[in-house]
Amino acid sequence: MRVVHVASEVTPFAQSGGLADVLGGLPPALAQAGVEVGVMLPLYRGVEAKITAAGATLDSGTPISITVGPHVFAGSLRTARLRNVTFGFVDCAPLYDRPGGIYGPTAVSDWTDNHLRFAVLGKAALEHGAKLVGGVFPDVLHVHDWQASPAAVYARIARAPCAIVATIHNLAFRGIFHKSVMTEVGFPWAKFNHRDLEFHDQVSFLKGAMAAADVVTAVSPSYAHEILTPAFGEALDGFLRNDIKRIVGIVNGIDVDRWDPETDAALPAPFSAASLENKALCRSALAAELRLDLEPQQPLIAVISRMTAQKGLDLVGDIVPLLHRLDAKLVVLGSGEPEYEARFRWLAEVFGAQVAVAIGFDINLSRRIYAGSDLFLMPSRFEPCGLGQLYAMRYGAIPIVNSVGGLRDTVVDVGSGRGLKKNAKAGASIGTGFAFAPASAPALLGALERAVGCFRDQDIFTAIRRSAMARDSSWTVSAEQYLDLYRSLRT
């Protein structure tokens, strides 16, 4: 089995969000299961140093020429081998060697030629992806989100001898451009129709990939059902219901070797579900680092998130003035839309005794927050899968989540009442977190009150913590599901 993945970001080389974590975890898990795996991505500025830092070697490359529409781009395909996966980097300086972010000059702006940048990535994957898997055309071309979608469209136009899988990591990002890009990237105008690339008289790269794919996957079973409804379908629900024959939901995993509180060098002290004593040391060290006065009976609540409406950060802001009633403290790490950044800076100034805020993203600080916090908020209005709750459970921070998408699929509500106490004392099966609905401040506050009540009962909270830490969030199960899917496309 030969599989080539196409993506715009892959950890540890380039990252702006959870997509990179998935591409950093799934391909090695597939390789461990016996698949020959390649991953195609751009060589952005600074990536070469990250390849070296990861312990891999980037070769000098093979010259390539990529034609998209009327444009011809000269560059090279450079490869590196890491964790039994061959990574192919499209080295085209005019497109990828730029200051700023992966997708734009800033976190909230786009490069005006993104249609060309990712069309070139897709064409390179189609024409040169075989070099990543032994020189033989792959059995499966697996594209991720809109940036990789042109690869699927080009493959279908060329009638490539492979199965095509398109994964939706977040349907809100559909890769929408003016219809003139049909000519710019060399898509035939015959595909500008409501069953293919056309989207309200514009072009949607993601829609084109879904139309081209043999199967569409979503990153959780619940999200696979939700996107068929007007509430979550992003104006594509009708297309998904009527024109896509097969949609499969497979929940994401995490790299449990890189995310392990027993071995994480970023933590002040290691701990495990069997030995939780040092969790308290991580908690006190985090409070000291963030200059929060924290008493033993006060739960430390964490948020690590992009600051957007999707993530429900406005709901978190709404409950901050009520934290004193719960005798709880809050730490927030994240960045995003300027209005949310400004609001949380203001909240940290006004409610400094209860709240610490760090704007930006620091991977080591995020690890210390997971390890040092007691509760972890994810009040997302929609969440295709979510990785934060998986990291939180791995580090013994109990998630409080809106019951949508992957949050519903991965967090088991502990319930309440006498049964919870009885099960905790007896060592019986117990849940892994607290769920609420709908996405509102009162519902979030109600779940938080339940969680704080459990925190103050040592027997119950220790049982919940151990249950959450015992959850198998590795890529092993998910990779096997993808492998079964690939096999089904070969028959």
Side-chain angles (χ1 to χ4, degrees):
M1 174 74 72
R2 295 177 173 86
V3 179
V4 170
H5 293 265
V6 188
S8 56
E9 54 183 88
V10 181
T11 187
F13 311 123
Q15 180 163 19
S16 72
L19 172 64
D21 288 315
V22 174
L23 270 297
L26 175 58
L30 289 169
Q32 191 170 10
V35 179
E36 190 164 358
V37 187
V39 180
M40 190 77 79
L41 70 157
L43 187 72
Y44 305 110
R45 179 175 294 186
V47 167
E48 191 165 355
K50 293 178 181 177
I51 294 170
T52 301
T57 301
L58 186 67
D59 69 12
S60 57
T62 302
I64 60 174
S65 178
I66 303 297
T67 300
V68 293
H71 308 282
V72 179
F73 294 92
S76 63
L77 177 64
R78 306 178 67 183
T79 63
R81 185 89 174 161
L82 185 67
R83 300 176 70 188
N84 297 316
V85 175
T86 300
F87 292 90
F89 298 88
V90 181
D91 186 357
C92 184
L95 295 177
Y96 307 124
D97 185 11
R98 299 177 178 181
I102 294 173
Y103 307 119
T106 69
V108 293
S109 61
D110 295 325
W111 298 111
T112 58
D113 61 347
N114 272 346
H115 58 293
L116 290 174
R117 298 173 75 230
F118 295 111
V120 168
L121 171 66
K123 202 67 169 298
L126 174 65
E127 295 179 350
H128 303 285
K131 296 175 183 177
L132 308 182
V133 287
V136 180
F137 207 87
D139 300 291
V140 178
L141 181 68
H142 191 155
V143 305
H144 297 265
D145 272 355
W146 74 261
Q147 297 90 345
S149 291
V153 179
Y154 289 131
R156 187 58 72 204
I157 293 169
R159 298 184 180 179
C162 63
I164 301 172
V165 176
T167 293
I168 305 168
H169 294 264
N170 190 335
L171 190 60
F173 302 105
R174 293 155 295 182
I176 298 173
F177 299 96
H178 189 272
K179 60 186 177 183
S180 61
V181 306
M182 292 289 293
T183 299
E184 282 280 287
V185 302
F187 291 159
W189 278 96
K191 286 191 171 292
F192 188 73
N193 64 77
H194 71 281
R195 293 183 180 274
D196 215 309
L197 282 153
E198 189 271 337
F199 181 77
H200 297 282
D201 203 39
Q202 300 178 96
V203 169
S204 168
F205 279 10
L206 181 60
K207 185 183 179 188
M210 292 190 290
D214 295 288
V215 62
V216 172
T217 71
V219 288
S220 71
S222 286
Y223 192 59
H225 290 291
E226 288 172 350
I227 60 176
L228 303 179
T229 69
F232 296 95
E234 301 290 346
L236 284 169
D237 53 290
F239 166 75
L240 289 166
R241 288 193 307 271
N242 299 319
D243 294 286
I244 302 302
K245 295 179 180 179
R246 190 177 178 194
I247 302 176
V248 177
I250 300 176
V251 75
N252 286 334
I254 60 173
D255 188 331
V256 294
D257 294 324
R258 292 181 60 242
W259 291 87
D260 184 353
E262 285 194 89
T263 59
D264 194 332
L267 308 188
F271 63 93
S272 67
S275 180
L276 284 167
E277 292 80 8
N278 283 347
K279 173 81 175 175
L281 292 178
C282 292
R283 188 181 116 106
S284 59
L286 178 64
E289 179 180 356
L290 300 174
R291 299 180 182 178
L292 277 177
D293 292 329
L294 186 66
E295 299 297 328
Q297 81 281 1
Q298 294 175 320
L300 185 56
I301 306 162
V303 174
I304 301 174
S305 177
R306 285 186 292 112
M307 291 184 167
T308 65
Q310 177 209 331
K311 297 295 185 179
L313 268 290
D314 55 316
L315 307 181
V316 177
D318 289 344
I319 67 168
V320 165
L322 305 176
L323 287 176
H324 70 281
R325 282 175 28 191
L326 300 174
D327 196 22
K329 301 296 176 78
L330 173 70
V331 53
V332 178
L333 171 64
S335 62
E337 296 173 12
E339 63 184 279
Y340 289 105
E341 291 186 3
R343 184 179 185 189
F344 276 91
R345 285 192 179 98
W346 179 82
L347 287 168
E349 292 178 4
V350 175
F351 300 96
Q354 277 81 39
V355 182
V357 173
I359 300 297
F361 187 71
D362 179 327
I363 185 65
N364 288 328
L365 175 57
S366 76
R367 290 170 177 270
R368 293 193 295 275
I369 291 174
Y370 285 122
S373 58
D374 302 299
L375 301 169
F376 186 80
L377 298 186
M378 285 189 73
S380 305
R381 287 183 165 82
F382 67 93
E383 193 62 68
C385 179
L387 297 178
Q389 82 279 15
L390 304 182
Y391 296 135
M393 288 188 281
R394 179 87 169 138
Y395 282 64
I398 307 307
I400 300 171
V401 302
N402 184 23
S403 187
V404 292
L407 301 178
R408 176 187 296 148
D409 293 336
T410 57
V411 177
V412 179
D413 191 278
V414 303
S416 58
R418 293 181 180 178
L420 176 58
K421 181 77 171 179
K422 182 179 179 181
N423 287 341
K425 285 191 172 182
S429 177
I430 199 168
T432 58
F434 300 85
F436 66 91
S440 67
L444 169 58
L445 185 60
L448 186 53
E449 287 171 340
R450 277 201 296 138
V452 170
C454 289
F455 170 81
R456 296 204 167 107
D457 186 309
Q458 186 173 1
D459 291 337
I460 290 177
F461 201 72
T462 298
I464 298 170
R465 182 166 268 161
R466 287 191 167 129
S467 176
M469 295 181 74
R471 184 189 189 276
D472 183 2
S473 295
S474 70
W475 270 109
T476 304
V477 174
S478 299
E480 190 60 41
Q481 291 178 311
Y482 276 110
L483 187 51
D484 287 343
L485 176 66
Y486 298 155
R487 289 175 179 140
S488 74
L489 297 174
R490 297 177 69 184
T491 57

